[in-house]
Amino acid sequence: MQLQSSPGVAVADDSSFGVGKDSVAFLRAARLTRIFRSGPHEIRPLDAIDLAVDRGEMIAVVGPSGSGKSTLLHLLAALDTPTSGEVYFARNSLWSLSEEKLAEYRNRVVGFVWQRHHLLPDFTAAENAAMPLLLRGLALKQSLQAASEWLGEVGLGDRGEQQAGQLSGGEQQRVAIARALVNQPAVLLADEPTGDLDERNAEGIFDLMQRLHQSHRLTTILATHNPSLARRTDRVFALEHGKLTPALESHVGADDGGAHFASVVTKTLGERG
């Protein structure tokens, strides 16, 4: 089902960023570098990486803990500033945008799902999902109506009045997904969204994200430790020692691609920390 815009809730309009149907690199990083310094020491999780994501793609980034996956997603979401390099959305450099336009990008164009749901435990599921709309200044009634519709989309239509702290871990992550999508963004960024869940709930969350990706024509970038989930995306990239390299085209047949993927991911992930 394609969720329709609720009364007073406008669908994210990426046309204001110059998006066209012929856009090839919908979201692109060019020689993106991020350096952190601690005293005399320098940590370089991203070292002049390039990434081009087509509109409608779902890609995965794999790598060991601390390899820079979160740093990459934060830069793509404009939640952090690179040391050097550029991030382009629909041909627009994020760092050339005005503060107002950059805030619009963060709030309207990008939805973000973290490993830890960061819900407010004493607020209801609907209130948590409605937060991005309330921050936009939308009326409470309209925000809760839209949030309730999205809770239905993630399978929690009957849990909207439940306090978030009383939900199970899988249900809390579903609320977090509804919150990320309530503004109907064009891009979904997910940082280890199944990392805190057991195998059954992890599969359920990924199935949900894949369904929403397809039904709402999202462009999705997923950071994950889980090679079996990564392999179900359109493309997989390995991030290690600051470098981002293609790991596998997911459509490669299991007979040859599976062995290659397993070797690449095993080498990249190493010992999970």
Side-chain angles (χ1 to χ4, degrees):
M1 178 182 69
Q2 179 69 40
L3 192 72
Q4 299 300 312
S5 179
S6 301
V9 183
V11 176
D13 181 12
D14 50 22
S15 64
S16 64
F17 289 88
V19 176
K21 292 183 179 179
D22 60 343
S23 296
V24 175
F26 190 58
L27 187 62
R28 181 167 67 91
R31 299 198 58 79
L32 197 61
T33 299
R34 185 66 171 97
I35 299 172
F36 297 97
R37 292 183 173 86
S38 178
H41 303 291
E42 182 178 283
I43 301 170
R44 191 182 294 254
L46 303 177
D47 187 6
I49 70 163
D50 295 309
L51 175 66
V53 184
D54 293 345
R55 188 170 195 168
E57 269 197 300
M58 185 180 205
I59 74 166
V61 179
V62 300
S65 295
S67 63
K69 300 186 303 296
S70 296
T71 300
L72 173 59
L73 293 188
H74 289 168
L75 291 173
L76 295 178
L79 298 176
D80 191 15
T81 305
T83 304
S84 63
E86 296 284 352
V87 174
Y88 296 92
F89 173 70
R91 306 187 184 95
N92 297 280
S93 168
L94 295 187
W95 318 119
S96 68
L97 299 176
S98 66
E99 284 300 320
E100 180 181 2
K101 204 73 170 176
L102 202 54
E104 180 185 348
Y105 173 82
R106 295 187 190 106
N107 184 260
R108 302 289 302 281
V109 174
V110 173
F112 207 110
V113 179
W114 284 268
Q115 178 175 344
R116 293 174 177 81
H117 52 75
H118 297 300
L119 300 180
L120 300 174
D122 295 330
F123 285 71
T124 68
E127 289 167 341
N128 272 280
M131 287 296 172
L133 297 175
L134 294 171
L135 290 173
R136 254 175 61 191
L138 201 68
L140 177 61
K141 182 178 179 179
Q142 294 170 322
S143 298
L144 290 176
Q145 179 181 345
S148 295
E149 292 182 13
W150 273 103
L151 288 175
E153 276 277 278
V154 301
L156 296 177
D158 60 345
R159 304 286 272 167
E161 297 305 312
Q162 192 79 28
Q163 285 187 328
Q166 297 174 351
L167 299 174
S168 70
E171 289 174 330
Q172 289 173 333
Q173 197 64 318
R174 288 173 182 266
V175 176
I177 292 171
R179 179 184 60 194
L181 296 177
V182 73
N183 267 328
Q184 304 197 50
V187 177
L188 178 63
L189 304 176
D191 189 4
E192 298 280 4
T194 65
D196 281 352
L197 303 176
D198 59 41
E199 184 177 355
R200 178 174 172 273
N201 276 306
E203 287 284 345
I205 289 296
F206 185 82
D207 288 345
L208 172 64
M209 290 182 61
Q210 203 164 43
R211 175 174 63 79
L212 294 172
H213 168 83
Q214 293 168 353
S215 63
H216 295 283
R217 300 177 182 177
L218 297 167
T219 300
T220 303
I221 302 176
L222 168 76
T224 182
H225 269 120
N226 191 320
S228 66
L229 298 184
R231 195 171 190 279
R232 293 168 58 186
T233 64
D234 298 318
R235 290 189 291 156
V236 183
F237 292 86
L239 182 58
E240 186 179 25
H241 304 309
K243 300 299 184 182
L244 189 70
T245 56
L248 176 79
E249 294 289 346
S250 291
H251 64 262
V252 173
D255 290 343
D256 55 358
H260 174 65
F261 178 77
S263 65
V264 170
V265 172
T266 299
K267 176 182 181 298
T268 303
L269 293 181
E271 292 296 326
R272 290 179 57 177

